[in-house]
Amino acid sequence: MSSELDNLKNIGVTARHSLSAEGKGEIVKLVKYLFEKQKTVFVTEYIYKILKKIIHKNSTTNSSYNIIENIKILTKKNLKNLDLFIFFGGDGTLLSAVHQFAPDIFSVPIFGINGGNLGFFSSVAKENGTSALDKIFEGKYTKDVRMVAKGELQSEDKSVVETIYSLNEITIHHAGIARLRNLEVELSGEYLTTYKADGLIISTPTGSTAYNLAAGGPIVAPQIKAFVITALAPAGFSQRPIVLPSHKILKISVDSTMRLSIDGQKYTEIKNTQSLVITEYAIPVTFLRLKTERYYKNLREKLGWG
């Protein structure tokens, strides 16, 4: 990434899969716009195939062919060269990209154009995408910094079996027959409680408006560094959601094999011989926002508040 954030030269682009004909047209428009701005453009393989098909079919100009010849395929290896990562779609589009390119993607500023259904991450409508980018390239933006959760699956000897990263939430839930499980939680070495529940949601403030909210957990402002633990169908009314400081180390143990769902994008298992250790990842993710954007206005509109 460039040392100066205002020098946004290398631009990455991704979009949700199964784009409509209209959505594909918007992607072509976006990429052409970036080339007109003399940007170096990196796209995912899915986007490259769309561009190649549409541009070759509909254009006979040399400039259009030059786009295909000069565009670059985005990979984990060249991701660090990006100055800005643009996603076109809803929240699922960004989360999919995060898990495709984590953890390196957290070092790249992100800008979202809402071409999907949910847009907590992207509040700029697709018809305003290029005009919004004009302002971004002029430096008329603010930085919205969000914490990222890091999870380590550890064996009994504390060796790390698998490392995961989460922007929204890590969910522990049953992998087979639905029944109550015992999930023991420690907080920086201190015993907290043993939940008797179908599972647990461990959410970041960003994810507090997602699965956590649907399960009855609280909304936590994104500027607050915290974890939220919300039990899924707890056996007792006393096991309420709890907000914990993010500098603490969460350790969760289970009494039988359960499934881990990370941001609804990636799945793995936790066995009763393993522990899940969750900490705040050292590198947060940075979103670029227009100066006119307001978090609470967006929240009010998305949740249908009066």
Side-chain angles (χ1 to χ4, degrees):
M1 190 177 73
S2 299
S3 58
E4 293 294 332
L5 192 57
D6 292 336
N7 184 21
L8 303 177
K9 175 64 177 175
N10 298 321
I11 313 296
V13 178
T14 191
R16 65 186 179 93
H17 283 211
S18 303
L19 281 172
S20 64
E22 180 186 1
K24 291 176 181 178
E26 292 290 339
I27 286 296
V28 173
K29 176 183 174 182
L30 172 61
V31 171
K32 286 184 175 180
Y33 161 84
L34 292 172
F35 270 90
E36 289 171 0
K37 290 289 185 179
Q38 298 183 329
K39 307 298 182 181
T40 301
V41 182
F42 298 74
V43 300
T44 56
E45 287 190 31
Y46 172 68
I47 299 301
Y48 179 78
K49 291 177 182 178
I50 290 175
L51 293 170
K52 189 174 181 180
K53 182 177 181 180
I54 293 179
I55 290 178
H56 278 181
K57 180 179 179 180
N58 298 333
S59 180
T60 58
T61 63
N62 290 332
S63 61
S64 294
Y65 284 107
N66 285 338
I67 290 177
I68 297 299
E69 291 175 359
N70 292 305
I71 208 162
K72 301 180 186 298
I73 302 295
L74 183 61
T75 65
K76 287 186 177 181
K77 188 174 181 179
N78 61 28
L79 181 74
K80 292 182 179 180
N81 296 328
L82 296 185
D83 301 307
L84 179 66
F85 184 82
I86 300 172
F87 71 95
F88 178 88
D91 292 348
T93 303
L94 173 63
L95 293 173
S96 176
V98 163
H99 288 280
Q100 182 180 358
F101 296 111
D104 293 334
I105 194 172
F106 301 131
S107 300
V108 181
I110 297 172
F111 180 75
I113 299 173
N114 190 6
N117 296 320
L118 291 176
F120 277 102
F121 292 125
S122 55
S123 55
V124 173
K126 58 186 177 182
E127 57 268 21
N128 300 325
T130 54
S131 60
L133 281 169
D134 282 338
K135 293 183 174 64
I136 295 295
F137 293 141
E138 291 169 3
K140 298 176 181 178
Y141 58 78
T142 59
K143 300 178 189 178
D144 179 9
V145 180
R146 306 289 184 94
M147 66 167 278
V148 175
K150 177 184 178 182
E152 290 183 345
L153 269 178
Q154 296 183 358
S155 58
E156 289 180 303
D157 63 1
K158 296 187 178 181
S159 60
V160 177
V161 177
E162 185 175 355
T163 302
I164 56 180
Y165 301 90
S166 169
L167 188 55
N168 266 4
E169 76 280 311
I170 300 171
T171 304
I172 307 173
H173 55 99
H174 54 74
I177 297 174
R179 64 176 178 83
L180 290 176
R181 308 298 174 99
N182 293 311
L183 302 100
E184 181 180 295
V185 179
E186 292 182 13
L187 189 63
S188 293
E190 178 183 353
Y191 174 71
L192 180 64
T193 189
T194 297
Y195 289 90
K196 292 184 180 296
D198 284 352
L200 291 179
I201 301 169
I202 302 92
S203 169
T204 65
T206 298
S208 68
T209 54
Y211 193 10
N212 166 74
L213 183 62
I219 296 174
V220 179
Q223 298 85 1
I224 298 173
K225 289 190 173 185
F227 293 113
V228 183
I229 298 181
T230 301
L232 294 171
F237 290 107
S238 63
Q239 293 187 320
R240 312 309 298 168
I242 185 170
V243 180
L244 301 167
S246 65
H247 67 269
K248 296 289 187 178
I249 300 172
L250 299 179
K251 180 181 178 182
I252 302 169
S253 305
V254 298
D255 62 353
S256 59
T257 298
M258 299 187 73
R259 200 174 192 188
L260 291 182
S261 172
I262 305 97
D263 293 341
Q265 301 292 321
K266 181 179 179 181
Y267 302 91
T268 188
E269 283 188 341
I270 177 173
K271 300 177 181 178
N272 62 351
T273 57
Q274 298 173 328
S275 297
L276 175 63
V277 177
I278 300 175
T279 57
E280 179 185 355
Y281 185 50
I283 302 174
V285 63
T286 299
F287 293 93
L288 300 190
R289 309 287 190 191
L290 297 181
K291 291 184 176 181
T292 55
E293 290 187 54
R294 296 292 182 269
Y295 169 76
Y296 294 105
K297 178 178 181 293
N298 188 36
L299 184 68
R300 187 168 61 249
E301 291 175 351
K302 299 299 180 183
L303 297 182
W305 291 351

